[in-house]
Amino acid sequence: MTTLTRDAAPSSAPAKRARRWKPSEVRAGYAFLTPWLLGFFLLTAGPMIASLYLAFTDYNLFTDPQWVGFDNFTQLFQDPRFLQSAKVTAIYVLVGTPVKLVAALAVAMLLNMKHRGQGAYRSIFYAPSLIGASVSIAIVWKAMFIDDGIVDTVGQFFGMQAGGWVGNPDMTMPMMILLAVWQFGAPMVIFLAGLKQVPAELYEAASVDGAGPVRKFLRITLPMLSPVIFFNLLLETIAAFQVFSSAFIISGGSGGPAGSTLFYTLYLYIRGFNDFRMGYASAMAWVLVIVVGVITAIFFKTSKSWVHYSGDAR
Amino acid sequence: MKTRNKLTMALGVTTVFALALSGCSSSDDSGSGGDAAAVSTDEDITISLAWWGNDDRAAKYEQAVDLFEKAHPNITVQTQFQAWDDYWTARNTEAAGKALPDVMQMDLSYLRQYAATGQLGDLSAQEGVNLDVSGLDESLLESGAIDGKQYAIPTSTNTLALFYNADITDALGMEPPADGYTWDEFDQWFLDVAKAGASEDPAVYGGADYAVTFWFFLQWFMQSGEQPFTEDGQLNFTQDDMKEWLNSTADLRDAKAVYPVEKAKQLEPLTGFTTNEAAAEVSWDNFLAGYVADSGTENIEMLPIPAGDDGQQHLFYKPSMLLAPSSSSEHPDAAAALIDFLINDPEVGTIFGTSKGVPAVAAQRDAMDVEAGSIDEKVVAYEDSVADIVTESAPIPVQGFGAIEAEFKRLGEELQYGNITVDEFVEQWWANAEQNIPQS
Amino acid sequence: MTENTIAVEHVGAQHLITEPPVRDTGAAATLRRSARRRKGLKGLGFHAFVLALTVVILYPAVWMFLSAFKPSSDIIGEVNPIPTDWTLDNFTKALSGIGGVSFWTFFGNSLILAVLSVIGIVLSATVSAYAFSRIEFPGRNIWFGLMIGTLLLPFHVVIIPQYIIFNNLGMVNTFWPLLLGKFLASEAFFVFLMVQFMRNLPRELDEAARIDGAGHVRIFRSIMLPLMRPPIITASIFAFIWSWNDFLGPLLYLKKPDLYSLPIALRLYVDQTSVSDYGAQMAMAVLALVPVLLFFIVFQRYIVDGVATQGLKG
């Protein structure tokens, strides 16, 4: 009991020990890693390197790529639509991701309480994530946000005069963010699975010690959940940077109205597959890799101070 | 491909990927041009056929292919179909992998893109051997040819028309535009409808701002008697031409007499016209079936488009669809035989009706089972009625047409939202076109 | 620590892990029941709140469901969710298949792909995650970094190179391109998810088993897999649903209509170039939702129910 509580509380990372690798461990490690290594070298690495190469070429899909050096990259930063797509995506990441994660965690905690009907609620709250990937979502979601649709009606009740959000370039971003938040099912389920990993004894012991719900949340739930929080935070951030399907479906692939839903990867797709400029698209992709890579690295660096693994700290 | 191979080697890319690329570079253009022999009648051949469309077209193609397989028992046709957007995603990817289907439905806007980059086989040698093109109008056949090579055969045609909803005009007590109406008169009609329809709930408009559709600009330009693209695939119109066209509906935009873009965005993929809030829409004549289905009214009527300065419409028959063989096909003879069957066989004409446009070959047109009062009848009647004013041949789009058309649409949206001026529109469009159209 | 020791002693017999939690005694149950009565008010508040949330969240889903019963021309731009003319035509049409291929063929293909994806991902991701989280071997951190790196590149720019690989391997028109990556842990999301959960399992478990003489294969099978049930179920749900809704992969690799999956078929009802049937699309979308919803309803309870971690920890 005591050891676990200590693990759950913030502790410094284990000191790096200079060590010799045990041959049996090395063998086992690579044996267990074989499927991933095969997949990486057979399916993933080649196409990734190819796309990096293509970023320095003029490639129209139909004829051989021509080396152009850094041309694509210099063009990128003079392209107003590229800058627009970067701006749109940044707003989406900064606003949408935190809201979605907080909603997912809050609902997961609600659904983790001991009440009747939780199974039904879990299924209901996950339903949007099922529908969200359907092609029909464009029609459904727009119907919510057109003139006199449910959102407009509720908005008018509160004195909002935005009209239908779909056709209003100022309101499509909130609409897209709401669509993302509405689909909080995936991080919610992961949070739920994480909450189940928290040993109930910890809470019982804390109750004995007279801890209230807030203290339990801060002292037990958050630290024990930190690997899962880290996972959701990182993956949702990356996913938000790469958001494509919903914008593609809702805007019919155009990023409209007036460029207000021109997300980064949507513009990348338009460049690559509609304008046949796959070199340019690849350059865009690698700029994104660098940006998200830096952010990911920062996440991992800072995670050492707030993410605690019960299996690591010894 | 050389450079890519060297580089990937240098990077020490995995064997499989290197293999993939070498496989890619070794497959060169076979089957294009060359000699044609009558298609074999004993060798077992499988060819693939790809098309875009809906469930309804799927059923029709299935029947047509069955007939072909009956006529050529040794040939099996493997069909595949996708919705329009998906079709091009799949084809473009296959083109990059040199794995296009033997025969594919082709759209005029992609024709030069595919032909100029060596994706399509030349059918010239097949003519008179496996392919009979004698039933096709000469100028129509030419719309599938580039630099003297026949890359695709039109299956059917469409031409522009003004659709109007008679239920709406009747309710407003309006007459449709009169015979031989001009663009100016058309604009005035828009203003009149918007005025009369303002009191309706929801308000009724004349139609959407037609100036922001690229094809209409091209048609308007052709009313000056010139083709919009040069033989060698460059633009034949000037920035001033485009400005004049876009400014022609400026009054309508200012008077808010066109269907509001904010509302149009809410209804996509429908339009104000198909939700019965706009009286008219200019479009291709074979869209009638879709308009009737979406709007739920049968009373959609058709008129020719407005006339140009010389009082003529200068319409052209656009191939609504073409069939093209892949240059990498291993069975160019069988591919040509399939194309021949699909464009010439009367029974195929009966099966498809006007769903792909009006059949290009008379034998198929005559075989159509046109019911009185049907959509087919209306479309055929329209094309018959405009036969005399179809005076131009279809423009062959430049390489990069898809991109410049999409840019026109995008800028049109910005223009309607008031984010840019006509001058900015033209300036930005031109910059984009210079990037996307390869210099000859 | 005592319980832990017991657990370890039982590892050989593999008993405790699957043993159900200790049942409430009669007295404890009575106590709990009266406690529940005291909590009645709190429960009422909970249900009122969650039900309100349900209404908001489910409104679009209900709109979608009811739209499937509307005539096609009444769907887009319609604010009212209740059909004025109820019709079953959409379902008849959706069930009648496309181009001579029956609805059930599409359905069956989707099901095969989804089930095999689940199996592939669960197997490969847990095995790889075990290597990353439980075995120490040289290069581990580099491979882990590379794995995270594969998350960063937008997939659109690897579509073409990947297609070229599979095309040259002669795998187009088979399910292989869609499944191989799943069996080779190419989807870093799942590996990372498993890593986060596995790292959070107490280290005493394997250390004690080691002392008992268990090797990695046995520790993986007998300790890790049973304790990983919540994340495995979570991953299964995602794997199933993502495969079920995947559209681009089938579009590129499945060319024979007999091999098409549901999302390809769904999109065929809407053709911008001729006649669109939004009603049939909506009906097929609703029908396509049934299996995923069932899958979720059946499996969601395993995320939260009956894992014996509590018994093992503390």
Side-chain angles (χ1 to χ4, degrees):
Chain A
M1 196 71 240
T2 38
T3 43
L4 253 185
T5 329
R6 212 190 310 128
D7 288 348
S11 67
S12 56
K16 263 233 160 86
R17 285 160 292 189
R19 65 152 83 227
R20 279 228 169 130
W21 306 105
K22 264 201 248 158
S24 65
E25 290 293 280
V26 176
R27 270 199 305 276
Y30 277 93
F32 272 86
L33 206 58
T34 302
W36 181 82
L37 285 169
L38 274 175
F40 181 74
F41 284 109
L42 285 178
L43 305 176
T44 317
M48 281 184 80
I49 293 168
S51 76
L52 180 59
Y53 164 67
L54 291 176
F56 295 94
T57 66
D58 185 2
Y59 179 46
N60 67 6
L61 304 185
F62 300 96
T63 47
D64 295 348
Q66 305 292 322
W67 184 265
V68 293
F70 281 90
D71 277 12
N72 289 326
F73 294 92
T74 45
Q75 269 186 42
L76 264 184
F77 292 98
Q78 292 157 8
D79 177 354
R81 296 191 76 202
F82 168 79
L83 300 173
Q84 164 76 3
S85 73
K87 190 183 102 187
V88 166
T89 308
I91 296 172
Y92 182 79
V93 171
L94 287 175
V95 180
T97 312
V99 175
K100 182 177 183 179
L101 285 177
V102 169
L105 180 57
V107 173
M109 294 191 60
L110 264 182
L111 297 188
N112 196 38
M113 292 162 100
K114 290 209 161 36
H115 285 289
R116 265 169 209 273
Q118 290 288 38
Y121 290 135
R122 276 195 295 271
S123 304
I124 287 166
F125 288 176
Y126 195 74
S129 303
L130 302 178
I131 301 170
S134 168
V135 287
S136 305
I137 190 64
I139 293 173
V140 176
W141 203 247
K142 277 181 174 180
M144 303 299 115
F145 289 90
I146 56 176
D147 290 343
D148 299 322
I150 184 83
V151 174
D152 187 25
T153 310
V154 173
Q156 280 174 18
F157 182 78
F158 290 105
M160 238 175 86
Q161 293 298 332
W165 293 20
V166 186
N168 183 345
D170 294 332
M171 295 308 285
T172 42
M173 177 56 77
M175 179 179 88
M176 295 305 295
I177 289 174
L178 278 179
L179 177 59
V181 174
W182 182 60
Q183 298 178 54
F184 60 82
M188 176 195 83
V189 167
I190 296 171
F191 277 134
L192 262 176
L195 286 169
K196 282 300 148 187
Q197 244 196 2
V198 185
E201 291 86 340
L202 289 183
Y203 292 112
E204 283 158 22
S207 294
V208 171
D209 292 347
V214 176
R215 208 176 136 89
K216 281 188 206 165
F217 177 75
L218 292 176
R219 285 298 177 81
I220 302 170
T221 312
L222 276 187
M224 285 302 285
L225 207 57
S226 60
V228 172
I229 294 174
F230 177 61
F231 176 86
N232 273 336
L233 180 63
L234 181 65
L235 270 287
E236 287 293 331
T237 304
I238 293 175
F241 270 109
Q242 296 179 359
V243 64
F244 175 77
S245 299
S246 52
F248 183 82
I249 294 175
I250 298 249
S251 74
S254 71
S260 58
T261 61
L262 188 69
F263 287 100
Y264 196 94
T265 47
L266 181 55
Y267 186 47
L268 183 157
Y269 179 85
I270 291 173
R271 278 311 216 176
F273 281 90
N274 293 356
D275 297 354
F276 301 119
R277 300 194 59 200
M278 195 48 87
Y280 193 92
S282 301
M284 276 189 78
W286 280 90
V287 168
L288 187 68
V289 168
I290 291 166
V291 171
V292 183
V294 168
I295 292 169
T296 303
I298 293 171
F299 274 13
F300 269 98
K301 266 254 150 15
T302 60
S303 78
K304 296 214 167 85
S305 66
W306 64 273
V307 181
H308 310 286
Y309 299 96
S310 303
D312 277 8
R314 279 297 77 189
Chain B
M1 207 50 63
K2 270 268 162 54
T3 41
R4 182 153 70 159
N5 263 339
K6 237 184 267 166
L7 190 105
T8 43
M9 303 283 207
L11 287 167
V13 172
T14 60
T15 45
V16 171
F17 192 62
L19 187 108
L21 288 176
S22 60
C24 164
S25 57
S26 69
S27 64
D28 55 349
D29 297 1
S30 58
S32 61
D35 296 326
V39 64
S40 157
T41 51
D42 43 16
E43 181 196 354
D44 276 339
I45 297 172
T46 300
I47 52 173
S48 48
L49 165 68
W51 47 268
W52 71 82
N54 58 7
D55 55 321
D56 186 42
R57 187 171 292 161
K60 290 176 167 151
Y61 258 111
E62 198 199 354
Q63 289 177 43
V65 164
D66 281 350
L67 288 177
F68 175 79
E69 288 178 336
K70 221 168 273 170
H72 299 266
N74 61 317
I75 303 179
T76 309
V77 180
Q78 179 60 62
T79 56
Q80 56 159 310
F81 44 83
Q82 289 94 14
W84 166 263
D85 288 332
D86 309 340
Y87 180 85
W88 293 108
T89 307
R91 294 298 85 74
N92 295 339
T93 309
E94 287 165 357
K98 305 266 183 271
L100 283 167
D102 296 290
V103 177
M104 62 203 121
Q105 236 174 246
M106 179 52 58
D107 185 75
L108 197 60
S109 55
Y110 284 90
L111 180 64
R112 195 185 286 267
Q113 191 85 42
Y114 274 66
T117 53
Q119 308 298 318
L120 303 181
D122 180 9
L123 285 163
S124 310
Q126 297 285 350
E127 288 173 19
V129 185
N130 294 308
L131 178 64
D132 177 10
V133 292
S134 60
L136 286 149
D137 184 68
E138 191 67 35
S139 75
L140 183 64
L141 186 62
E142 249 172 48
S143 62
I146 290 172
D147 296 336
K149 289 184 177 170
Q150 193 72 42
Y151 288 111
I153 309 292
T155 66
S156 43
T157 58
N158 53 15
T159 188
L160 286 172
L162 174 74
F163 293 87
Y164 70 91
N165 186 330
D167 289 349
I168 293 182
T169 47
D170 288 353
L172 297 180
M174 298 267 312
E175 290 293 321
D179 268 359
Y181 66 109
T182 63
W183 291 99
D184 284 345
E185 284 162 354
F186 186 43
D187 293 347
Q188 185 56 48
W189 189 79
F190 258 61
L191 289 168
D192 293 345
V193 175
K195 209 164 150 196
S199 53
E200 302 283 314
D201 182 39
V204 170
Y205 294 83
D209 186 352
Y210 56 83
V212 298
T213 303
F214 192 48
W215 270 109
F216 303 162
F217 164 64
L218 298 180
Q219 170 71 76
W220 170 82
F221 179 78
M222 287 168 76
Q223 291 184 338
S224 68
E226 282 185 81
Q227 282 284 331
F229 306 117
T230 62
E231 294 263 323
D232 58 348
Q234 298 298 312
L235 302 178
N236 199 29
F237 48 84
T238 64
Q239 299 199 17
D240 286 338
D241 292 329
M242 194 179 274
K243 281 179 193 167
E244 184 188 340
W245 164 255
L246 291 168
N247 277 320
S248 72
T249 58
D251 291 347
L252 293 181
R253 282 193 292 274
D254 292 345
K256 304 222 179 297
V258 285
Y259 195 75
V261 63
E262 294 84 1
K263 294 184 86 170
K265 295 305 288 183
Q266 298 184 14
L267 296 174
E268 275 178 353
L270 297 186
T271 62
F273 183 64
T274 52
T275 54
N276 304 326
E277 293 171 41
E281 187 155 293
V282 181
S283 190
W284 302 103
D285 57 8
N286 62 322
F287 278 34
L288 180 64
Y291 285 152
V292 168
D294 290 343
S295 67
T297 172
E298 303 256 305
N299 295 328
I300 309 268
E301 305 296 337
M302 298 159 84
L303 285 176
I305 58 161
D309 293 340
D310 60 357
Q312 300 292 310
Q313 283 83 359
H314 296 270
L315 284 170
F316 59 91
Y317 286 130
K318 172 177 166 285
S320 54
M321 205 172 278
L322 306 100
L323 288 169
S326 152
S327 62
S328 55
S329 171
E330 285 171 24
H331 304 287
D333 301 330
L338 176 60
I339 294 174
D340 177 79
F341 190 84
L342 289 174
I343 60 163
N344 287 316
D345 188 77
E347 271 188 87
V348 173
T350 316
I351 292 168
F352 281 101
T354 64
S355 65
K356 296 191 295 179
V358 175
V361 173
Q364 285 199 346
R365 267 200 307 273
D366 297 341
M368 282 194 304
D369 217 353
V370 182
E371 265 177 72
S374 68
I375 287 168
D376 278 0
E377 193 202 26
K378 257 190 194 171
V379 177
V380 173
Y382 174 75
E383 288 216 355
D384 284 347
S385 76
V386 296
D388 293 341
I389 54 173
V390 175
T391 52
E392 311 297 323
S393 52
I396 299 182
V398 292
Q399 216 177 320
F401 183 86
I404 60 173
E405 187 187 13
E407 181 72 355
F408 200 90
K409 188 176 169 205
R410 180 184 80 80
L411 290 168
E413 207 173 282
E414 299 273 9
L415 182 69
Q416 292 184 78
Y417 274 108
N419 294 345
I420 54 172
T421 64
V422 164
D423 287 359
E424 286 165 339
F425 180 120
V426 174
E427 189 187 319
Q428 289 183 31
W429 188 86
W430 228 264
N432 178 279
E434 274 167 9
Q435 275 184 13
N436 281 304
I437 303 172
Q439 304 300 308
S440 51
Chain C
M1 273 325 272
T2 44
E3 277 181 56
N4 220 340
T5 327
I6 297 166
V8 167
E9 280 166 11
H10 279 73
V11 161
Q14 295 183 30
H15 265 147
L16 193 120
I17 298 155
T18 45
E19 213 169 80
V22 183
R23 296 268 165 235
D24 286 343
T25 61
T30 322
L31 252 173
R32 284 252 305 259
R33 232 173 282 134
S34 69
R36 196 178 292 153
R37 221 169 288 131
R38 264 182 278 122
K39 278 188 183 166
L41 256 180
K42 208 174 148 196
L44 205 69
F46 168 84
H47 285 288
F49 180 76
V50 176
L51 277 175
L53 202 59
T54 301
V55 171
V56 173
I57 283 172
L58 271 196
Y59 185 82
V62 170
W63 192 94
M64 176 178 175
F65 179 75
L66 292 174
S67 287
F69 297 94
K70 293 176 183 171
S72 189
S73 56
D74 284 1
I75 292 175
I76 295 182
E78 180 59 58
V79 170
N80 186 1
I82 316 281
T84 40
D85 302 315
W86 289 82
T87 173
L88 285 174
D89 290 356
N90 298 328
F91 288 94
T92 322
K93 192 159 179 209
L95 285 168
S96 67
I98 293 175
V101 184
S102 111
F103 170 85
W104 298 107
T105 305
F106 302 133
F107 188 91
N109 291 333
S110 280
L111 198 64
I112 293 170
L113 283 170
V115 169
L116 289 175
S117 295
V118 169
I119 295 171
I121 282 172
V122 167
L123 286 178
S124 65
T126 47
V127 168
S128 316
Y130 186 79
F132 282 129
S133 59
R134 290 317 236 213
I135 309 177
E136 309 224 348
F137 57 96
R140 186 178 76 165
N141 292 342
I142 293 167
W143 297 128
F144 187 77
L146 280 171
M147 182 195 70
I148 296 296
T150 63
L151 284 168
L152 306 180
L153 190 68
F155 68 92
H156 302 98
V157 291
V158 298
I159 288 174
I160 302 251
Q162 242 163 20
Y163 177 83
I164 292 174
I165 290 178
F166 284 119
N167 188 40
N168 283 289
L169 292 173
M171 288 181 176
V172 171
N173 259 332
T174 69
F175 288 160
W176 281 112
L178 305 175
L179 293 173
L180 201 57
K182 311 264 165 78
F183 280 89
L184 295 179
S186 293
E187 292 188 33
F189 175 91
F190 292 104
V191 182
F192 187 37
L193 177 72
M194 296 295 179
V195 167
Q196 290 304 91
F197 277 89
M198 230 179 248
R199 275 180 80 180
N200 210 23
L201 292 174
R203 181 66 75 166
E204 295 95 327
L205 295 173
D206 18 351
E207 278 171 4
R210 283 291 189 83
I211 297 164
D212 236 25
H216 279 300
V217 174
R218 197 154 114 213
I219 295 173
F220 174 71
R221 265 194 14 227
S222 316
I223 300 183
M224 289 300 151
L225 281 190
L227 291 178
M228 288 289 286
R229 197 151 88 177
I232 285 174
I233 297 293
T234 307
S236 306
I237 289 170
F238 294 159
F240 189 93
I241 290 162
W242 291 349
S243 163
W244 189 263
N245 288 324
D246 179 25
F247 153 72
L248 197 67
L251 171 68
L252 296 177
Y253 294 113
L254 305 178
K255 309 290 187 186
K256 290 183 187 161
D258 294 343
L259 298 175
Y260 285 2
S261 59
L262 275 174
I264 305 274
L266 254 174
R267 292 171 67 98
L268 253 112
Y269 287 111
V270 172
D271 177 26
Q272 296 149 343
T273 63
S274 60
V275 183
S276 296
D277 191 336
Y278 303 100
Q281 189 187 54
M282 209 54 99
M284 200 187 243
V286 168
L287 290 174
L289 276 176
V290 173
V292 275
L293 200 59
L294 284 179
F295 189 89
F296 185 82
I297 290 171
V298 169
F299 284 97
Q300 52 86 16
R301 60 194 200 89
Y302 295 114
I303 300 174
V304 289
D305 283 359
V307 182
T309 41
Q310 286 91 336
L312 274 165
K313 289 182 177 179

